[in-house]
Amino acid sequence: MDLEKAGPSTQAVHAGEAPEPTTGSLSPPLYQSSVYAFQDAEQGAAIFAGSREGYVYTRMGNPTLKTLENKLAILEGGEEALVTSSGMAAIATTVASLARAGEHVVSAEVIYGATYTLLREFWPRFGLQSTFVASSDTEDYRRAMRQNTRIVFVETPSNPTLEVVDIAALAEVARKGNALLVVDNTFATPMNQNPLALGADIVVHSASKYLGGHADVIAGVVVGRSDLIHKARQSLRLIGTVLGPFEAWLILRGLKTLALRVARHNENALAVARFLEGHPAVERVFYPGLESHPGHKLAARQMRGFGGMVSFELKGGHDAGIRMVDSVRLCTLAVSLGDVSTLIEHPASMTHTSVPVEERRRGGITDGLVRLSVGIEDAPDIIADLKQALDRTT
Ligand code: LCS
């Protein structure tokens, strides 16, 4: 069967995998090996020269990593994928392979705190500057473009305020400016959104989140055209941001249930968002599935589902936020996201502390903002827990 044309649930189970031919093992073999023996010097030299297929050393390639890369490329509809040691490694490796000193990045301002710091403080040390766009308006991105802009970077929906950016329109802005559009698709997952099909050049993920799905692994992935992934792979081999084989195996295992998990995350998050919208202690709910979300129509157009992430602002500000995250019983107070269990956190004092307070507030990351990664438990149980915690904030 042509898995590239199969439905996403079928792809999540079968893509990139087949029973191992020598033993019939249904589960993909875990090649927990750093190095591979050559049959003789001639074969070794040929593999090194690239004239013969084969493995040399896991930083340069590993069969378990290859299986995962094949699967993720199909899931995102890209020609090739490269797995990395974390989501940050995926982003850093991508930027390092596509841009150089003297060039420029245009990035959304509201993104994961570490990504923001990477672009704002780390890359400028090597001569790569970024301009940040504080809105989801494509025109503002166009205005931020310079002659030397090589990368346009966005998360959509964004961490933590779930802003939605028009991927197709932004791809056009990037193309006209001779730049590449990189979309962090961590929040949406390939089940809810495929940026490459909308015109993006590269998709990155923190695979530590929904792709793995069980809060037991740190990993990342870069997906796109073969020429771009080839460049990223060359950078990875030098920087050394390689994923461990066992971590790759855990992601392979997690991916099999991705479609099921994401369907439940979507369903539960919508129920939770609707509940929060009706609660008197809540000032505002950020969820692209709500009609009240400014990006709702766009999200309905470019996404198949609205995802499992919900943020909300409490009327009681900072103190209410802290009281809320301290009062939950079923939900867990923890950062990260995309796990089967519901996680709650306070961005202003946790995931987004590295963003200066002015930028943070401008981007809607107020002191009373609480972020939820809605899990796959029964929605009424999650809602009951949130209700008892909210009642304590007033
Ligand atoms: N991209 C997004 C959208 C993320 O949310 C994160 C991590 C990363 C990239 C980096 O991935 P990592 O290196 O951790 O695999 N986000 C986190 C968060 O919101 N809480 O803890 C980690």
Side-chain angles (χ1 to χ4, degrees), residues 105-122:
V105 178
V106 169
S107 171
E109 187 166 80
V110 179
I111 48 177
Y112 174 53
T115 310
Y116 183 71
T117 308
L118 181 81
L119 292 172
R120 187 176 184 269
E121 290 172 20
F122 182 87

Side-chain angles (χ1 to χ4, degrees), residues 181-195:
L181 175 61
V182 179
V183 175
D184 185 330
N185 203 31
T186 301
F187 269 37
T189 84
M191 292 298 140
N192 284 331
Q193 175 174 277
N194 295 121

Side-chain angles (χ1 to χ4, degrees), residues 69-194:
E69 289 172 348
N70 290 342
K71 196 176 191 83
L72 288 167
I74 290 174
L75 280 171
E76 276 297 9
E79 285 177 4
E80 251 181 79
L82 172 71
V83 290
T84 59
S85 55
S86 68
M88 289 313 300
I91 296 165
T93 306
T94 300
V95 172
S97 66
L98 299 181
R100 60 179 66 220
E103 294 184 334
H104 178 245
V105 178
V106 169
S107 171
E109 187 166 80
V110 179
I111 48 177
Y112 174 53
T115 310
Y116 183 71
T117 308
L118 181 81
L119 292 172
R120 187 176 184 269
E121 290 172 20
F122 182 87
W123 285 120
R125 287 168 41 207
F126 301 92
L128 180 67
Q129 305 295 334
S130 289
T131 298
F132 296 95
V133 177
S135 86
S136 47
D137 186 340
T138 313
E139 266 308 291
D140 291 336
Y141 283 84
R142 197 184 53 73
R143 275 192 282 274
M145 298 290 287
R146 294 185 195 159
Q147 201 69 37
N148 59 345
T149 304
R150 285 292 155 265
I151 297 174
V152 177
F153 181 90
V154 288
E155 291 175 1
T156 181
S158 69
N159 185 355
T161 52
L162 288 301
E163 276 197 37
V164 178
V165 189
D166 188 333
I167 296 173
L170 207 54
E172 192 58 20
V173 168
R175 201 186 53 77
K176 284 202 173 125
N178 207 16
L180 295 166
L181 175 61
V182 179
V183 175
D184 185 330
N185 203 31
T186 301
F187 269 37
T189 84
M191 292 298 140
N192 284 331
Q193 175 174 277
N194 295 121

Side-chain angles (χ1 to χ4, degrees), residues 85-89 91 112 114-115 155 159 184 186-187 205-209 218-220 335-337 345 351-352 371:
S85 55
S86 68
M88 289 313 300
I91 296 165
Y112 174 53
T115 310
E155 291 175 1
N159 185 355
D184 185 330
T186 301
F187 269 37
H205 282 272
S206 166
S208 327
K209 312 296 191 303
I218 297 288
V335 298
S336 199
L337 56 111
E345 68 114 5
T351 46
H352 290 73
R371 190 188 77 181

